[in-house]
Amino acid sequence: MGPRRSAASSRGRLLLPLLLLGVSGFFQSYAVEVDIKDASNATCLYANWMMRFLITYESNNGDYKTTTLNLSSSATHNGSVCGNDTQAALVAVQFGEGHSWSINITKNNETYQGDFMTLTYNTNDTAVFPDAKRKGPVTIFIKDPAGPVQLNTVFVCHNSFDIEAENITQIFWNVTLQAFVQNGTVSKKETRCPADRPTSAPTVPPTSANATTAPTTAAPPAPTPPKPVENPDTGNYSLKSGNKTCFLATVGLQLNVSQDKPLLININPKTTVADGACGNTTATLKLNDGNSTLIGFTFAVKNASASVQKFYLREVNVTLLNRLNGSVISSADNNNLSKWDAFLGSSYMCRKEQTLQINENVQVHTFNLWIQPFLVEANKFATAQECSLDDDSILIPIVVGAALAVLIAIIVVAYIIGRRKSYAGYQTL
Ligand SMILES: *[C@@H]1O[C@H](CO)[C@@H](O)[C@H](O)[C@H]1NC(C)=O
Ligand SMILES: *[C@@H]1O[C@H](CO)[C@@H](O)[C@H](O)[C@H]1NC(C)=O
Ligand SMILES: *[C@@H]1O[C@H](CO)[C@@H](O)[C@H](O)[C@H]1NC(C)=O
Ligand SMILES: *[C@@H]1O[C@H](CO)[C@@H](O)[C@H](O)[C@H]1NC(C)=O
Ligand SMILES: *[C@@H]1O[C@H](CO)[C@@H](O)[C@H](O)[C@H]1NC(C)=O
Ligand SMILES: *[C@@H]1O[C@H](CO)[C@@H](O)[C@H](O)[C@H]1NC(C)=O
Ligand SMILES: *[C@@H]1O[C@H](CO)[C@@H](O)[C@H](O)[C@H]1NC(C)=O
Ligand SMILES: *[C@@H]1O[C@H](CO)[C@@H](O)[C@H](O)[C@H]1NC(C)=O
């Protein structure tokens, strides 16, 4: 179970402007160019790339939020070194209000390879971390997962790739980098990242696919496998009304998005923040996974006049954003659901996997679900009504009963046979 995320429902009204702000923030991306020259004024290290960071931090009221840290137009690259003599190069950039990022690169006989990335973000920067509980610089070290690049080739990656660590997702794109440049000219030979390779590869064994691309090199392994097959991690989410928890949810979420072919996306609870609004007859939980996926769940109370009231899941919507510019890639909504019903004042539980069909292309799979959208008391779930799928409790008595019945039948048959035999034996005497 991840740490509990929560969000004040009063901020529900702010969600739209905040989202728009986030979207406009997506455009403020600047490329960094680092071109280091040696004593004879020849280029010995060249890098040009774009990156942004998604950072989850604790806010003043104990909620966890995910923010986007972008490069500013005024990035500097103090401290970058070629290291042609020491076999260790460093690309370092400083940007914004006290943020910095660097990577040290080592050279071997035939290859060069990133070693560690160091990110320092300063939560004093109120534009990026408006309400951070702890103010000041935070430094994290991330081992570069990419493999070695052949010397005298330039590493190129146009498509975006992620590197995740702790509470950070680093997103890179439009990357051109060559360390240990010889003779002052950036190579024409490229080593392409996995994200740039044609996706039609699956039918061809990877080795022969490599052989067909011009610069055959030891290429870095894919940073993120595209299809998770494992179940998603379970997250804990809650909403508050004032300082009282009014909505509780525990759930593992997986999306099945079929564009060309079905794609399974696990929602990472560590980067996901909850927002939304509680109400007397409707309640909405909005989850933003900090990584371009938004999922909203709306619950309603059934026929509010009935003496025994029930709530149910009425609507689910899923929005996928382009992570580079924040534009909406697809949006799916089903506001005609009638699922997960339970008596008002209780909670609903379903540990088994369930599927919510949002439209013909989008499904939401839930795991380990426990949810209470109304009448939460003392920050705790009320008694749960379980889904029928979970009713092992009924199945077990049935199985035990059936076994008992079979046993009794055997005993009866054995008794009858035994009695007949002994009767027959008695008769012959
Ligand atoms: C580098 O090359 C030298 C000589 O060619 C060899 O002895 C050494 O093992 C190589 N080192 C690596 C890491 O390949
Ligand atoms: C790269 O930087 C990390 C973090 O500062 C350091 O631990 C590591 O030793 C460095 N690697 C090399 C080869 O200098
Ligand atoms: C953060 O900002 C506060 C107020 O501006 C300042 O007093 C403090 O020294 C800063 N801390 C760091 C680590 O920059
Ligand atoms: C990548 O860089 C090229 C040129 O350097 C630019 O035209 C393009 O817009 C960039 N792509 C993105 C996604 O920023
Ligand atoms: C650099 O120049 C030297 C001598 O002119 C040449 O032997 C070597 O192949 C060149 N290296 C590259 C990577 O062009
Ligand atoms: C909220 O907290 C404040 C103090 O922390 C307390 O005075 C107030 O009664 C609380 N309100 C509710 C609704 O619990
Ligand atoms: C994903 O959705 C597609 C189309 O809706 C369906 O055919 C496929 O079986 C689903 N896959 C999983 C793992 O649910
Ligand atoms: C965002 O990027 C996608 C693909 O890179 C492009 O099709 C779309 O038009 C862009 N949207 C905006 C608003 O720039």
Side-chain angles (χ1 to χ4, degrees):
M1 300 249 170
R4 181 169 297 279
R5 312 282 175 214
S6 59
S9 66
S10 55
R11 280 190 284 107
R13 261 166 278 131
L14 287 176
L15 186 67
L16 190 62
L18 276 178
L19 273 179
L20 292 176
L21 203 77
V23 168
S24 66
F26 272 97
F27 295 101
Q28 294 160 4
S29 279
Y30 300 94
V32 214
E33 185 175 46
V34 176
D35 186 350
I36 310 287
K37 309 223 192 270
D38 61 15
S40 56
N41 207 27
T43 295
C44 52
L45 182 149
Y46 179 81
N48 186 328
W49 76 103
M50 298 181 89
M51 65 178 169
R52 76 159 47 93
F53 308 94
L54 302 174
I55 301 173
T56 302
Y57 67 100
E58 189 176 6
S59 71
N60 278 326
N61 59 2
D63 298 346
Y64 285 83
K65 295 189 171 176
T66 299
T67 190
T68 304
L69 176 60
N70 280 307
L71 286 170
S72 52
S73 56
S74 57
T76 55
H77 55 262
N78 301 326
S80 299
V81 293
C82 287
N84 279 10
D85 40 358
T86 60
Q87 321 272 293
L90 182 72
V91 178
V93 289
Q94 303 81 34
F95 55 99
E97 303 285 318
H99 313 294
S100 62
W101 180 88
S102 68
I103 182 169
N104 54 5
I105 303 166
T106 55
K107 182 180 168 183
N108 296 314
N109 283 348
E110 318 231 296
T111 61
Y112 60 97
Q113 181 166 21
D115 189 13
F116 272 90
M117 302 180 199
T118 305
L119 170 67
T120 299
Y121 58 93
N122 190 353
T123 55
N124 246 14
D125 181 349
T126 49
V128 182
F129 306 94
D131 49 0
K133 190 170 193 170
R134 211 169 65 79
K135 297 208 187 291
V138 179
T139 297
I140 60 160
F141 300 96
I142 303 133
K143 178 87 183 139
D144 184 357
V149 177
Q150 197 171 53
L151 272 181
N152 302 321
T153 70
V154 56
F155 175 78
V156 174
C157 198
H158 287 156
N159 286 297
S160 75
F161 60 98
D162 297 353
I163 297 175
E164 297 201 18
E166 298 175 46
N167 52 342
I168 313 285
T169 303
Q170 307 185 84
I171 305 170
F172 299 89
W173 71 102
N174 256 5
V175 179
T176 303
L177 180 144
Q178 186 178 355
F180 312 107
V181 175
Q182 285 181 16
N183 302 348
T185 37
V186 173
S187 181
K188 297 268 180 295
K189 272 167 88 183
E190 294 182 350
T191 294
R192 281 300 183 111
C193 62
D196 278 7
R197 298 210 195 103
T199 50
S200 56
T203 50
V204 193
T207 44
S208 62
N210 274 350
T212 59
T213 54
T216 314
T217 52
T224 44
K227 277 185 193 164
V229 281
E230 74 281 13
N231 287 352
D233 290 339
T234 305
N236 294 310
Y237 310 101
S238 65
L239 298 178
K240 282 182 181 164
S241 173
N243 47 11
K244 185 178 178 299
T245 301
C246 58
F247 195 124
L248 282 172
T250 293
V251 63
L253 290 164
Q254 184 180 66
L255 295 182
N256 175 3
V257 180
S258 325
Q259 280 160 336
D260 312 324
K261 50 189 174 207
L263 171 67
L264 295 178
I265 304 167
N266 280 347
I267 300 299
N268 180 0
K270 293 204 181 80
T271 60
T272 301
V273 285
D275 210 321
C278 294
N280 292 336
T281 53
T282 61
T284 299
L285 176 70
K286 296 178 185 188
L287 300 178
N288 180 345
D289 82 336
N291 191 16
S292 69
T293 306
L294 313 174
I295 309 177
F297 298 89
T298 299
F299 288 82
V301 173
K302 264 183 203 168
N303 43 7
S305 56
S307 54
V308 182
Q309 291 180 343
K310 290 186 122 187
F311 69 81
Y312 69 105
L313 176 67
R314 187 176 67 189
E315 179 173 1
V316 175
N317 53 44
V318 175
T319 306
L320 299 176
L321 303 174
N322 179 324
R323 46 211 276 131
L324 299 185
N325 61 20
S327 63
V328 173
I329 296 173
S330 72
S331 177
D333 183 50
N334 184 346
N335 60 12
N336 196 19
L337 290 165
S338 185
K339 299 251 183 195
W340 302 357
D341 67 337
F343 291 112
L344 205 59
S346 61
S347 57
Y348 177 82
M349 181 184 270
C350 199
R351 284 173 295 219
K352 307 233 165 119
E353 177 178 352
Q354 285 183 291
T355 299
L356 301 167
Q357 193 76 43
I358 313 308
N359 66 16
E360 60 279 11
N361 295 325
V362 179
Q363 294 177 344
V364 176
H365 300 297
T366 65
F367 300 81
N368 293 323
L369 174 74
W370 195 7
I371 199 158
Q372 186 172 349
F374 299 104
L375 301 176
V376 173
E377 296 296 340
N379 204 9
K380 285 205 287 276
F381 281 109
T383 318
Q385 276 185 251
E386 291 198 45
C387 57
S388 49
L389 292 170
D390 276 356
D391 273 347
D392 288 349
S393 48
I394 288 181
L395 198 63
I396 290 166
I398 291 174
V399 170
V400 170
L404 268 179
V406 169
L407 197 66
I408 290 169
I410 290 170
I411 291 170
V412 168
V413 168
Y415 173 77
I416 290 170
I417 291 173
R419 229 181 79 130
R420 274 216 183 146
K421 258 202 180 148
S422 59
Y423 183 68
Y426 184 76
Q427 242 187 357
T428 54
L429 275 178

